[in-house]
Amino acid sequence: MKKSGFLTALALTLAIPAGALGQAAFAGEVTAGDTHVIAAPYGGLVEDVSVRVGDVVNIGDPIAVLETTKSYAMTDGTISGVFAREGDSAEGIKERYGALVYIEPINRFTLACSTDKAYNSSENRYIHIGETVYLSCTKDGSHQGRGIVTSLDEEDEQKYTVEVTGGEFYMGETVNVYRDSEYARESLIGRGTVGRTAPVAVNGEGSVLRMHVRAGDLVERGELLFETVTGTLDGLYAPDTQVVSDVRGVVATVDGSNGTAVEKGAKIATIYPEDNLQVKMVISEADLMDVQVGDKVEIEFNWDTQSGKVFDGTVSSISYLNERDEEGVSQGAEYVAYLDFTPDETVRIGMTVVVYVQ
């Protein structure tokens, strides 16, 4: 507090009420007694910040939303296995079970095929990945359907894989593969054996925050399966993506902005708790002996001198170091005292006051 500010406050003593005569008057300012940190419960990207510096927040008010990594179904099918639970390490589940979630595709059968029995033409031995084919069992042609070529064997150009997209077949059944829906002999491109389509493994990294499916659920391609975040979760507890304030007070700083990455425990915002406001008062060297820790005081706000309203307070501490400004320059023989008091809804940080020491 500079000398000029102190002299201005002292000038206010000329208007001290009759009941305050004989009391020492000092300049003061409302300040925060401490600062409460709102930290990220896990690592991720800050998706949305809900507060600004100076806002008043209550317990439970949103501060920010942290973005998660979302994993989606890669195929239509049935969830056949859910090995991860909320709070689990994704890497640990993958190491133990191979995947967090398995999907049995809606197309249950796959053919392991070869062009070895294809009609003798060069075109029939050149298979195109993604092409639609038509299937008929070799026994009597009673089982028919269609499929799509899903892969080619890089080591053996005669081998390829067909996923059955329509029709019913038996496991182990031998099936002819045609390009022509009329099953013309000249369009025969090979033969395959019916097998089970392998379940699709879905994995993630970090820790599992939310599971959105259970075993037995039917899912469509693109449906959300689970969400993960970076880092570990305390006690395998999965908090919400929305970070909220756990105190009532005034937002002092906002340290996270939209799109920035934060680690677990990183500061997102700081709050000046409402229940720990104090008055900072500057005492000159000449008046230092007139103020003691434990003294009772009356606090009058400069904006409200006409109402006669005062707050009762107590001197809680007095510094033994000389007051200095922000550049570290001494302001003379002045010392800082802090006063405890109970504010009401009209009190805001930074308000100026006159303090009468009894």
Side-chain angles (χ1 to χ4, degrees), residues 233-249:
L233 300 176
D234 295 332
L236 299 182
Y237 169 71
D240 194 77
T241 57
Q242 183 166 262
V243 181
V244 300
S245 176
D246 52 358
V247 296
R248 172 176 167 78

Side-chain angles (χ1 to χ4, degrees), residues 43-358:
L45 287 179
V46 178
E47 184 176 317
D48 181 53
V49 177
S50 307
V51 295
R52 294 178 295 185
V53 172
D55 286 350
V56 174
V57 292
N58 292 301
I59 295 175
D61 281 355
I63 300 297
V65 174
L66 296 184
E67 185 176 305
T68 62
T69 300
K70 298 174 176 61
S71 295
Y72 301 91
M74 295 173 284
T75 184
D76 297 343
T78 302
I79 301 297
S80 60
V82 176
F83 294 101
R85 295 184 179 179
E86 294 177 356
D88 283 342
S89 163
E91 287 81 2
I93 296 299
K94 179 182 178 181
E95 182 178 350
R96 184 173 181 181
Y97 299 104
L100 280 67
V101 170
Y102 285 96
I103 304 173
E104 288 186 354
I106 193 170
N107 299 324
R108 298 179 300 155
F109 299 119
T110 297
L111 305 181
C113 304
S114 170
T115 59
D116 185 50
K117 299 296 183 179
Y119 183 78
N120 190 19
S121 73
S122 59
E123 177 61 25
N124 282 356
R125 298 185 185 280
Y126 191 86
I127 308 303
H128 307 278
I129 192 167
E131 68 174 308
T132 298
V133 293
Y134 300 91
L135 314 171
S136 177
C137 65
T138 58
K139 182 177 181 180
D140 56 12
S142 60
H143 297 156
Q144 295 182 340
R146 61 186 180 278
I148 185 170
V149 178
T150 56
S151 66
L152 305 176
D153 194 316
E154 295 181 357
E155 298 181 357
D156 188 342
E157 62 182 14
Q158 288 187 307
K159 294 181 179 181
Y160 58 97
T161 302
V162 172
E163 185 175 292
V164 178
T165 58
E168 286 295 331
F169 298 92
Y170 297 134
M171 291 286 290
E173 191 171 20
T174 303
V175 176
N176 284 328
V177 184
Y178 300 86
R179 283 199 169 114
D180 187 354
S181 61
E182 299 298 324
Y183 304 103
R185 182 169 177 270
E186 293 79 6
S187 72
L188 179 65
I189 61 173
R191 181 175 290 180
T193 303
V194 177
R196 177 185 177 184
T197 302
V200 176
V202 186
N203 277 303
E205 297 180 351
S207 295
V208 180
L209 186 74
R210 291 285 178 267
M211 294 298 303
H212 295 278
V213 292
R214 296 177 297 179
D217 285 351
L218 296 175
V219 295
E220 296 181 352
R221 182 180 181 184
E223 188 171 335
L224 180 61
L225 302 178
F226 56 84
E227 299 173 67
T228 56
V229 295
T230 58
T232 58
L233 300 176
D234 295 332
L236 299 182
Y237 169 71
D240 194 77
T241 57
Q242 183 166 262
V243 181
V244 300
S245 176
D246 52 358
V247 296
R248 172 176 167 78
V250 178
V251 178
T253 65
V254 176
D255 302 276
S257 59
N258 293 354
T260 58
V262 294
E263 298 292 333
K264 177 183 176 182
K267 184 167 59 175
I268 295 179
T270 55
I271 310 293
Y272 291 139
E274 179 190 58
D275 59 0
N276 199 17
L277 296 185
Q278 294 180 319
V279 167
K280 177 183 177 182
M281 182 177 76
V282 176
I283 309 171
S284 69
E285 180 181 20
D287 295 322
L288 192 58
M289 294 302 103
D290 293 335
V291 183
Q292 304 293 327
V293 173
D295 281 352
K296 301 300 181 182
V297 300
E298 291 184 344
I299 302 166
E300 183 179 57
F301 282 78
N302 287 331
W303 68 270
D304 191 27
T305 56
Q306 300 302 315
S307 70
K309 180 180 179 180
V310 295
F311 292 80
D312 293 327
T314 304
V315 179
S316 59
S317 65
I318 302 175
S319 172
Y320 278 78
L321 295 177
N322 189 22
E323 172 75 338
R324 297 177 182 273
D325 63 19
E326 293 179 356
E327 285 74 34
V329 178
S330 173
Q331 298 301 310
E334 294 180 342
Y335 297 84
V336 173
Y338 288 95
L339 318 177
D340 291 337
F341 76 112
T342 302
D344 62 16
E345 67 280 358
T346 65
V347 176
R348 300 192 178 193
I349 292 174
M351 284 184 168
T352 57
V353 300
V354 176
V355 179
Y356 304 110
V357 180
Q358 299 177 12

